[in-house]
Amino acid sequence: MANVLIVGGGIGGLAAALSIARAGHEVEVLERNDRFAELGAGIQLAPNGIAALDRLGLGAVVRERAVHIDHLRFMDGVTGEHVVSMPLTGEYRRRFGNPYVVVHRGELHRLLYDACLASPGVRLRAGAAVTAYEQDDMSATVVLETGERISGDAVIGADGIRSAVRGQLVGDGEPRVSGITAYRCLIPIDVVPDELRWNAVTWWAGPKCHFVHYAIAGGRYLNLAASFDNAATQAVAGVPVEKQFVQDLFAGLADAPRRLLALGEDWKAWVLVDREPVDNWTDGRVTLLGDAAHPMLHYAAQGACQALEDAVLLGDLLDCSTGELGRRFAQYNHERFERTAAVQRVSRESIRLWHPAGTDAKARNEMLSSMSATQLHDHVAWMHGVSDFGAVLTGGASG
């Protein structure tokens, strides 16, 4: 039995703790903040994410509490035209084995947190900010901001896109600023006109911008996320923004999206960041997971799903002695980097689908509207249809 230290108590870190504890090891999760919590609003889970949650024993409760989405609905944000919808019921669920759902990020985090509390193999420690790691042939140690050292048999960095563990292991500096700012808020579903309540994840695509909305929290709220390519150069997170500023910024959109945006209050802004894929995120007894390993823009809605896949595979591979941990980490890295890099690339390339104008937007609409449901399902199968998380898969065109 090994003692594994996990740096970061977000969705990926808690999922990894559950998975590794189920393999018979002891796990300590070190969270830099004073409490375990997850900020943000809606999170989309494709069938691959649900399959991972099944492996962690949480699939049933997530299915029960989540909003099960009927369509991914693509709209021309300027003309208001419905371009295409990908059906997510019927054949989609039969083919991929699970529904496509949306949940509140905090609710999913709480389910993982409670499961960790209930696991005798998991210890949770808040207020433990890790700044570095050390290792030798027999152990791995993390160094806290206070100077305290905590030793174990292995370290997993699940500490996000600005991971201190990655900073030492990969050394690739600050994240890449995309130039795109996302404006987010939640509104009660009761204020949304009946004709705009669709059981769909809906995208309105416009010139250098797009707007996404879907219901969360059991359908009690509508999650609004509007993105604009304003060539931002500085990363910011959760900065309050005036309601009128958001309305003015997206004034060129059609009536329906503008009506929804006008309902938004308490807007906050995030400048989106990611990193270039790397093929090695493992150093002996130390490895990375989730956004620390392969941070991606949110356009493929796969960030959480990929972190959950990482966690499940790690649990599978760590059915081993402590002497084998380094080799198993290297195997995990090898089996995950190609797939996660492909999702990173697709997430970035998808901007070309959301943001064109004029004749380019018209050509995009014609291309998308010509696709059948089966063709649309084929397009996402390499992401959504995977349940063997160790398979080295690449795929798809941007989407």
Side-chain angles (χ1 to χ4, degrees):
M1 180 174 64
N3 179 22
V4 179
L5 306 175
I6 296 180
V7 182
I11 287 171
L14 294 179
L18 277 180
S19 185
I20 294 167
R22 284 171 167 240
H25 302 295
E26 291 188 351
V27 184
E28 183 170 9
V29 183
L30 304 169
E31 166 57 39
R32 69 175 298 110
N33 294 311
D34 291 336
R35 64 189 183 95
F36 284 78
E38 184 77 9
L39 301 178
I43 186 169
Q44 300 176 51
L45 294 172
N48 57 311
I50 300 295
L53 288 166
D54 279 335
R55 295 284 307 281
L56 298 173
L58 294 173
V61 67
V62 169
R63 287 185 188 85
E64 179 184 340
R65 298 188 185 185
V67 176
H68 293 232
I69 299 297
D70 291 340
H71 295 90
L72 299 181
R73 186 177 173 95
F74 192 95
M75 312 288 289
D76 186 306
V78 175
T79 67
E81 168 194 5
H82 172 249
V83 178
V84 69
S85 289
M86 180 193 297
L88 302 176
T89 57
E91 182 56 35
Y92 177 90
R93 293 182 186 176
R94 285 190 293 272
R95 179 172 178 178
F96 299 137
N98 275 306
Y100 191 107
V101 307
V102 295
V103 296
H104 193 287
R105 183 177 291 271
E107 187 172 27
L108 177 61
H109 183 269
R110 185 72 199 191
L111 290 171
L112 289 162
Y113 177 77
D114 288 345
C116 284
L117 284 179
S119 172
V122 178
R123 301 186 305 278
L124 302 174
R125 178 177 172 181
V130 171
T131 60
Y133 69 84
E134 302 167 352
Q135 64 177 316
D136 56 31
D137 290 341
M138 301 298 293
S139 66
T141 299
V142 295
V143 182
L144 303 190
E145 205 168 48
T146 60
E148 180 184 354
R149 283 170 162 74
I150 303 173
S151 294
D153 296 297
V155 171
I156 297 171
D159 46 342
I161 193 167
R162 289 182 171 81
S163 164
V165 181
R166 182 188 177 111
Q168 181 176 341
L169 197 159
V170 179
D172 54 352
E174 288 295 308
R176 183 195 74 101
V177 177
S178 70
I180 297 170
T181 303
Y183 305 89
R184 299 177 176 134
C185 74
L186 293 178
I187 58 175
I189 200 68
D190 293 344
V191 307
V192 179
D194 288 343
E195 66 272 18
L196 296 179
R197 296 187 194 183
W198 303 322
N199 188 29
V201 175
T202 302
W203 292 278
W204 301 88
K208 299 180 71 174
C209 70
H210 71 279
F211 169 41
V212 182
H213 54 85
Y214 50 86
I216 62 168
R220 298 188 303 276
Y221 292 91
L222 195 68
N223 183 61
L224 308 182
S227 297
F228 198 92
D229 186 349
N230 59 351
T233 59
Q234 183 176 357
V236 300
V239 176
V241 177
E242 291 294 329
K243 173 179 180 176
Q244 192 60 51
F245 176 84
V246 176
Q247 290 182 250
D248 291 346
L249 194 61
F250 295 92
L253 296 184
D255 178 67
R258 284 190 289 108
R259 287 169 64 196
L260 285 171
L261 287 165
L263 298 173
E265 305 283 351
D266 300 321
W267 290 95
K268 291 184 172 60
W270 282 260
V271 172
L272 304 181
V273 296
D274 66 355
R275 292 186 185 273
E276 297 293 335
V278 294
D279 60 9
N280 181 48
W281 61 67
T282 295
D283 173 20
R285 291 172 175 264
V286 182
T287 195
L288 304 176
L289 178 146
D291 281 350
H294 41 74
M296 55 192 67
L297 299 180
H298 64 263
Y299 296 126
Q302 278 286 310
C305 291
Q306 293 305 307
L308 292 169
E309 289 187 11
D310 288 349
V312 169
L313 181 62
L314 271 174
D316 289 345
L317 290 176
L318 296 192
D319 181 16
C320 64
S321 67
T322 57
E324 278 284 292
L325 289 172
R327 191 177 71 80
R328 296 298 177 94
F329 278 175
Q331 183 180 350
Y332 150 77
N333 191 151
H334 173 72
E335 293 194 19
R336 290 296 294 162
F337 85 85
E338 191 173 332
R339 173 168 169 78
T340 57
V343 181
Q344 284 179 284
R345 288 190 293 267
V346 163
S347 300
R348 189 181 293 184
E349 292 165 2
S350 293
I351 297 168
R352 294 181 299 165
L353 192 69
W354 309 135
H355 291 180
T359 56
D360 290 338
K362 183 179 179 181
R364 173 205 62 203
N365 292 354
E366 290 174 351
M367 180 271 292
L368 289 176
S369 63
S370 70
M371 298 179 72
S372 68
T374 298
Q375 288 173 318
L376 292 167
H377 294 164
D378 290 345
H379 189 67
V380 300
W382 68 279
M383 286 190 292
H384 295 190
V386 170
S387 57
D388 176 6
F389 306 132
V392 181
L393 297 176
T394 59
S398 63

